[in-house]
């Protein structure tokens, strides 16, 4: 039976740290499975951290921003809209229409945008960027005339057309009220 410390030491100095190498060690030393898995996980994480540390600062910032904007898009127009709607007490369709192509972004009250950004735990700029990108779904249709882009409607017109129930209107007013911080 091989010495545990020798096996783990040999494992750490392997030229390539890959699942194939791990599998080989697990087959040869099944009695150290738990230790080998823990060590592989630790070494993989440290490799990942080292790679990330070597990324240029601009790349890290851009990646973080892109992830936040993606979170906004998923929350408003994707899989997360159901949870967001339930959390804020507004219908899913209301959030899906907050695409800048539908509602004029400049007409949205700042308190509403701030409250929505706070609910999503993102910066205001990330929220706006996500709304400007919309749902990203293109619709192909045939038409007899040239396509023309319809102007987005004003926020309060959109709210009026949304047909919100009384409880949903109260939820919207709560979101519009903000927390008083600027």
């Amino acid at each position: 039976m091989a010495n545990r410390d020798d096996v783990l030491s040999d494992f750490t100095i392997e030229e390539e740290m890959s699942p194939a190498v791990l599998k080989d060690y697990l087959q040869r030393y099944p009695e150290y499975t738990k230790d080998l898995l823990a060590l592989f996980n630790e070494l993989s994480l440290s490799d990942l951290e080292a790679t990330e540390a070597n990324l240029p600062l601009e790349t890290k910032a851009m990646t973080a921003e892109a992830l936040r904007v993606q979170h906004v898009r998923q929350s408003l127009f994707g899989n997360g809209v159901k949870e967001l709607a339930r959390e804020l007490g507004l219908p899913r369709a209301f959030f899906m229409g907050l695409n800048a192509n539908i509602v004029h972004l400049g007409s949205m009250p700042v308190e509403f945008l701030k409250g929505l950004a706070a609910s999503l735990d993102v910066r205001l700029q990330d929220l706006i960027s996500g709304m400007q990108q919309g749902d990203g779904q293109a619709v192909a249709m045939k038409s007899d005339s040239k396509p023309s882009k319809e102007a987005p409607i004003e926020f309060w017109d959109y709210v009026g057309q949304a047909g919100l129930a009384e409880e949903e209107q109260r939820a919207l007013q709560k979101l519009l009220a903000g927390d008083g911080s600027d």
Side-chain angles (χ1 to χ4, degrees), residues 84-127:
L84 179 66
R86 184 174 44 246
E87 179 184 323
L88 296 178
L90 290 163
R92 284 186 279 182
F94 180 82
F95 292 108
M96 300 195 69
L98 291 179
N99 174 325
N101 294 330
I102 297 172
V103 179
H104 182 252
L105 202 53
S107 71
M108 293 184 194
V110 173
E111 289 305 320
F112 172 76
L113 293 171
K114 284 181 179 180
L116 196 51
S119 297
L120 295 173
D121 195 26
V122 295
R123 296 187 308 205
L124 185 58
Q125 185 56 45
D126 297 328
L127 174 72

XYZ file of all heavy atoms in Angstrom, residues 84-127:
336
model
N -39.086 37.393 -10.643
C -39.096 38.839 -10.424
C -40.526 39.345 -10.292
O -40.830 40.150 -9.402
C -38.383 39.563 -11.571
C -38.345 41.087 -11.474
C -37.496 41.534 -10.291
C -37.807 41.684 -12.773
N -41.407 38.873 -11.149
C -42.807 39.296 -11.108
C -43.447 38.913 -9.776
O -44.160 39.716 -9.169
C -43.572 38.672 -12.276
N -43.180 37.722 -9.324
C -43.730 37.267 -8.047
C -43.169 38.108 -6.894
O -43.899 38.536 -6.016
C -43.426 35.781 -7.839
C -44.038 35.194 -6.586
C -43.852 33.675 -6.436
N -42.523 33.203 -6.756
C -42.247 32.404 -7.794
N -43.204 32.007 -8.599
N -41.016 32.002 -8.027
N -41.866 38.360 -6.938
C -41.208 39.130 -5.882
C -41.746 40.559 -5.782
O -41.947 41.077 -4.692
C -39.690 39.172 -6.149
C -38.894 39.966 -5.150
C -37.428 40.043 -5.550
O -36.894 39.044 -6.072
O -36.830 41.114 -5.360
N -42.002 41.182 -6.935
C -42.434 42.583 -6.941
C -43.945 42.759 -7.025
O -44.444 43.884 -6.922
C -41.742 43.336 -8.076
C -40.224 43.443 -7.946
C -39.633 44.167 -9.134
C -39.834 44.131 -6.652
N -44.679 41.671 -7.257
C -46.141 41.747 -7.280
C -46.715 42.356 -8.546
O -47.797 42.939 -8.525
N -46.001 42.224 -9.644
C -46.472 42.736 -10.932
C -46.526 41.582 -11.934
O -45.798 40.599 -11.795
C -45.528 43.830 -11.442
C -45.584 45.133 -10.653
C -44.370 45.994 -10.936
C -46.856 45.890 -10.984
N -47.374 41.687 -12.958
C -47.466 40.586 -13.936
C -46.196 40.456 -14.780
O -45.499 41.441 -15.038
C -48.661 40.980 -14.808
C -48.969 42.386 -14.511
C -48.318 42.760 -13.229
N -45.921 39.231 -15.193
C -44.737 38.966 -16.031
C -44.763 39.799 -17.305
O -43.744 40.334 -17.716
C -44.669 37.491 -16.422
C -44.207 36.598 -15.335
C -44.034 35.210 -15.839
N -45.344 34.565 -15.868
C -45.554 33.321 -16.234
N -44.556 32.579 -16.628
N -46.754 32.807 -16.220
N -45.919 39.902 -17.910
C -46.028 40.633 -19.177
C -45.615 42.091 -19.009
O -45.069 42.696 -19.927
C -47.449 40.553 -19.705
N -45.850 42.654 -17.846
C -45.468 44.045 -17.589
C -43.956 44.210 -17.741
O -43.487 45.149 -18.378
C -45.912 44.470 -16.180
C -45.543 45.885 -15.846
C -46.326 46.934 -16.285
C -44.413 46.172 -15.103
C -45.988 48.252 -15.993
C -44.064 47.476 -14.802
C -44.859 48.517 -15.254
N -43.190 43.300 -17.172
C -41.725 43.397 -17.246
C -41.220 43.117 -18.652
O -40.292 43.762 -19.124
C -41.067 42.444 -16.243
C -41.296 42.860 -14.826
C -42.144 42.151 -14.021
C -40.681 43.990 -14.320
C -42.375 42.546 -12.715
C -40.907 44.398 -13.024
C -41.752 43.677 -12.214
N -41.835 42.173 -19.324
C -41.367 41.821 -20.662
C -41.553 42.966 -21.642
O -40.849 43.062 -22.628
C -42.053 40.545 -21.135
C -41.731 39.388 -20.190
S -42.101 37.770 -20.781
C -40.935 37.534 -22.055
N -42.484 43.882 -21.353
C -42.701 45.033 -22.211
C -41.771 46.193 -21.930
O -41.802 47.195 -22.630
N -40.921 46.064 -20.906
C -40.016 47.163 -20.552
C -38.784 47.217 -21.445
O -37.765 47.774 -21.075
C -39.602 47.052 -19.074
C -40.720 47.316 -18.091
C -40.210 47.158 -16.665
C -41.336 48.677 -18.298
N -38.904 46.687 -22.598
C -37.869 46.731 -23.622
C -37.852 48.150 -24.192
O -38.897 48.749 -24.407
C -38.292 45.694 -24.666
C -37.457 45.649 -25.884
O -36.966 46.654 -26.367
N -37.314 44.456 -26.415
N -36.687 48.713 -24.424
C -36.573 50.081 -24.931
C -37.244 50.247 -26.298
O -37.554 51.367 -26.695
C -35.107 50.501 -25.001
N -37.481 49.156 -27.011
C -38.175 49.249 -28.295
C -39.678 49.444 -28.108
O -40.371 49.837 -29.026
C -37.942 47.983 -29.137
C -36.506 47.836 -29.550
O -35.808 48.823 -29.728
N -36.044 46.612 -29.674
N -40.182 49.133 -26.925
C -41.608 49.248 -26.646
C -41.915 50.492 -25.829
O -42.813 51.255 -26.147
C -42.124 47.986 -25.926
C -41.953 46.777 -26.840
C -43.569 48.147 -25.491
C -42.244 45.449 -26.203
N -41.166 50.684 -24.747
C -41.381 51.827 -23.860
C -40.173 52.748 -23.941
O -39.032 52.300 -23.798
C -41.592 51.361 -22.402
C -41.788 52.550 -21.480
C -42.776 50.424 -22.305
N -40.441 54.027 -24.166
C -39.368 55.024 -24.254
C -38.652 55.088 -22.908
O -39.244 55.424 -21.889
C -39.965 56.387 -24.634
C -38.955 57.448 -24.800
N -38.814 58.464 -23.895
C -38.012 57.644 -25.753
C -37.828 59.252 -24.280
N -37.336 58.772 -25.409
N -37.396 54.730 -22.927
C -36.599 54.640 -21.704
C -36.522 55.980 -20.966
O -36.582 56.022 -19.743
C -35.197 54.139 -22.055
C -34.376 53.487 -20.979
C -35.111 52.354 -20.305
C -33.073 52.978 -21.562
N -36.430 57.059 -21.713
C -36.341 58.385 -21.103
C -37.609 58.808 -20.385
O -37.585 59.730 -19.574
N -38.719 58.128 -20.651
C -39.975 58.494 -19.992
C -40.182 57.720 -18.690
O -41.111 58.006 -17.950
C -41.158 58.235 -20.932
O -41.377 56.844 -21.103
N -39.309 56.756 -18.414
C -39.455 55.972 -17.190
C -38.954 56.779 -15.999
O -37.856 57.334 -16.047
C -38.673 54.661 -17.286
C -39.216 53.712 -18.311
S -38.306 52.160 -18.286
C -38.867 51.442 -19.816
N -39.741 56.861 -14.937
C -39.308 57.605 -13.754
C -38.009 57.029 -13.180
O -37.835 55.811 -13.114
C -40.468 57.417 -12.763
C -41.639 57.047 -13.613
C -41.088 56.311 -14.783
N -37.124 57.912 -12.778
C -35.833 57.497 -12.236
C -36.025 56.607 -11.015
O -35.312 55.614 -10.846
C -34.962 58.732 -11.892
C -33.700 58.326 -11.175
C -34.635 59.510 -13.150
N -36.986 56.933 -10.160
C -37.233 56.119 -8.963
C -37.641 54.698 -9.344
O -37.258 53.743 -8.678
C -38.293 56.766 -8.067
C -37.813 58.014 -7.363
C -36.542 57.802 -6.556
O -36.392 56.740 -5.904
O -35.674 58.695 -6.584
N -38.407 54.573 -10.417
C -38.801 53.245 -10.888
C -37.562 52.462 -11.325
O -37.382 51.309 -10.946
C -39.791 53.373 -12.052
C -40.106 52.061 -12.718
C -40.948 51.142 -12.117
C -39.548 51.754 -13.950
C -41.233 49.935 -12.728
C -39.822 50.544 -14.568
C -40.672 49.635 -13.953
N -36.696 53.119 -12.115
C -35.476 52.451 -12.590
C -34.563 52.085 -11.425
O -34.003 50.985 -11.387
C -34.749 53.344 -13.592
C -35.481 53.581 -14.918
C -34.765 54.644 -15.733
C -35.616 52.293 -15.695
N -34.423 52.999 -10.475
C -33.575 52.725 -9.303
C -34.134 51.555 -8.498
O -33.384 50.680 -8.060
C -33.484 53.957 -8.402
C -32.575 55.032 -8.915
C -32.547 56.188 -7.918
C -31.642 57.306 -8.353
N -31.646 58.406 -7.376
N -35.451 51.552 -8.298
C -36.072 50.462 -7.546
C -35.919 49.123 -8.239
O -35.653 48.101 -7.607
N -36.053 49.126 -9.552
C -35.898 47.903 -10.323
C -34.442 47.420 -10.282
O -34.180 46.229 -10.100
C -36.355 48.143 -11.771
C -36.620 46.932 -12.643
C -37.552 45.932 -11.975
C -37.197 47.375 -13.979
N -33.510 48.356 -10.404
C -32.086 47.996 -10.318
C -31.768 47.417 -8.940
O -31.044 46.420 -8.830
C -31.209 49.216 -10.609
N -32.310 48.026 -7.893
C -32.077 47.522 -6.537
C -32.666 46.121 -6.375
O -32.051 45.248 -5.750
C -32.670 48.479 -5.510
N -33.847 45.897 -6.931
C -34.477 44.578 -6.847
C -33.640 43.512 -7.539
O -33.606 42.369 -7.105
C -35.863 44.605 -7.486
O -36.705 45.475 -6.788
N -32.980 43.896 -8.619
C -32.147 42.954 -9.375
C -30.714 42.919 -8.860
O -29.900 42.129 -9.340
C -32.147 43.329 -10.862
C -33.489 43.211 -11.567
C -33.402 43.772 -12.983
C -33.945 41.770 -11.596
N -30.395 43.822 -7.926
C -29.060 43.927 -7.348
C -28.002 44.197 -8.431
O -26.973 43.527 -8.505
C -28.713 42.666 -6.562
C -27.505 42.866 -5.654
O -27.247 44.020 -5.259
O -26.800 41.865 -5.369
N -28.322 45.175 -9.290
C -27.387 45.613 -10.325
C -27.310 47.135 -10.300
O -28.134 47.799 -9.681
C -27.809 45.145 -11.741
C -27.764 43.636 -11.854
C -29.172 45.679 -12.131
N -26.332 47.664 -11.002
C -26.210 49.116 -11.105
C -27.254 49.633 -12.093
O -27.703 48.918 -12.988
C -24.804 49.491 -11.574
C -23.739 49.091 -10.566
C -22.389 49.588 -10.933
N -22.045 49.230 -12.305
C -20.819 49.101 -12.748
N -19.812 49.304 -11.958
N -20.585 48.790 -13.996
N -27.610 50.898 -11.929
C -28.606 51.532 -12.791
C -28.191 51.445 -14.256
O -29.005 51.139 -15.128
C -28.810 52.988 -12.363
C -29.891 53.773 -13.081
C -31.245 53.109 -12.946
C -29.958 55.193 -12.547
N -26.918 51.680 -14.545
C -26.438 51.628 -15.929
C -26.580 50.231 -16.526
O -26.908 50.078 -17.701
C -24.974 52.092 -16.011
C -24.450 52.178 -17.430
C -25.287 53.079 -18.331
O -25.671 54.173 -17.935
N -25.578 52.628 -19.534
N -26.363 49.203 -15.710
C -26.524 47.829 -16.199
C -27.990 47.537 -16.517
O -28.300 46.866 -17.498
C -26.005 46.828 -15.163
C -24.520 46.991 -14.898
O -23.787 47.366 -15.837
O -24.090 46.754 -13.756
N -28.889 48.062 -15.683
C -30.314 47.894 -15.935
C -30.690 48.543 -17.262
O -31.352 47.936 -18.101
C -31.134 48.508 -14.794
C -32.644 48.512 -15.011
C -33.207 47.099 -14.894
C -33.324 49.446 -14.050
